[in-house]
Amino acid sequence: MPLQSRFLSQLDFLSESLLRVFAKRSGEPGKKLKNLAATMTDDTDALRESLIKGLCIYLNESPDVLVQEYMDMAEAATLSAIEKTTVGIYVTREMPGSDSSDVGIIIEGVVVLQDLDNVALAAAMLFGLFYCLNMRYPSQLRFTFEVIQKLVMELDATRLSRKAQNLKTKLLL
């Protein structure tokens, strides 16, 4: 199964349902999701990035743990911040809201992939690395990666946590 095309096509397929479920969320996560929805554009890459961040928020996990943005920082400062990162996706931008100048993946403080096209592709590649290297998902993002694995990629989808099962049920309604 081709990782990139499968991940992106499934994310696109689920986008309307995810946006519908996000809109119904209440409380603090609901406010964050509404703010995120307000920034969405027609750009496919930006929409996919927002959906991935929205999944984190919906599951009460921090999207800032998954996607770290560095803006207008000196290279030494960026490298120092990257070295302190256990696992994640980094995005460098010249200004907030501008197109990314670089997107990559960090594992154990080391950039393992760089010059990726967008955050959604980086998320797919990071999931692929976790899956093929049989690595444990980071505890701060375990539900996000479980949803990516079991609902988006449809791998080992029989055993779901309560959070993933609730989301799956809401997606089917």
Side-chain angles (χ1 to χ4, degrees):
M1 158 177 29
L3 173 68
Q4 179 181 349
S5 60
R6 173 73 177 191
F7 179 81
L8 297 177
S9 65
Q10 282 295 102
L11 195 58
D12 292 342
F13 175 75
L14 293 170
S15 63
E16 281 186 43
S17 298
L18 284 169
L19 290 172
R20 180 180 37 79
V21 170
F22 292 170
K24 292 180 181 178
R25 185 80 155 128
S26 60
E28 190 62 31
K31 290 177 188 175
K32 290 179 183 178
L33 288 167
K34 283 177 183 50
N35 290 339
L36 184 66
T39 64
M40 289 185 189
T41 65
D42 290 337
D43 179 36
T44 304
D45 293 336
L47 175 64
R48 289 172 176 161
E49 179 177 344
S50 295
L51 288 171
I52 293 165
K53 289 178 178 180
L55 269 177
C56 293
I57 294 167
Y58 184 85
L59 297 165
N60 290 319
E61 296 176 332
S62 173
D64 297 330
V65 172
L66 178 61
V67 181
Q68 295 137 27
E69 296 192 28
Y70 303 104
M71 286 170 247
D72 196 29
M73 292 176 64
E75 190 171 325
T78 302
L79 288 175
S80 175
I82 285 173
E83 287 175 356
K84 296 174 186 167
T85 303
T86 306
V87 170
I89 297 167
Y90 74 87
V91 179
T92 57
R93 301 181 198 276
E94 291 185 24
M95 297 175 59
S98 67
D99 288 339
S100 58
S101 57
D102 188 21
V103 177
I105 296 174
I106 307 162
I107 297 179
E108 297 295 330
V110 176
V111 175
V112 295
L113 286 173
Q114 60 188 15
D115 297 326
L116 298 173
D117 291 335
N118 53 61
V119 171
L121 175 60
M125 294 295 126
L126 182 56
F127 166 75
L129 287 168
F130 278 124
Y131 200 77
C132 73
L133 297 174
N134 202 21
M135 293 173 60
R136 203 176 249 218
Y137 298 140
S139 60
Q140 313 98 310
L141 296 168
R142 75 173 208 210
F143 295 114
T144 299
F145 280 106
E146 178 189 12
V147 166
I148 289 172
Q149 175 187 335
K150 296 179 178 184
L151 300 184
V152 177
M153 298 299 291
E154 298 175 336
L155 297 170
D156 190 29
T158 55
R159 293 172 288 162
L160 299 171
S161 67
R162 182 173 292 150
K163 284 186 177 189
Q165 183 63 53
N166 285 340
L167 179 58
K168 180 178 181 179
T169 302
K170 289 176 181 178
L171 288 172
L172 295 174
L173 295 177

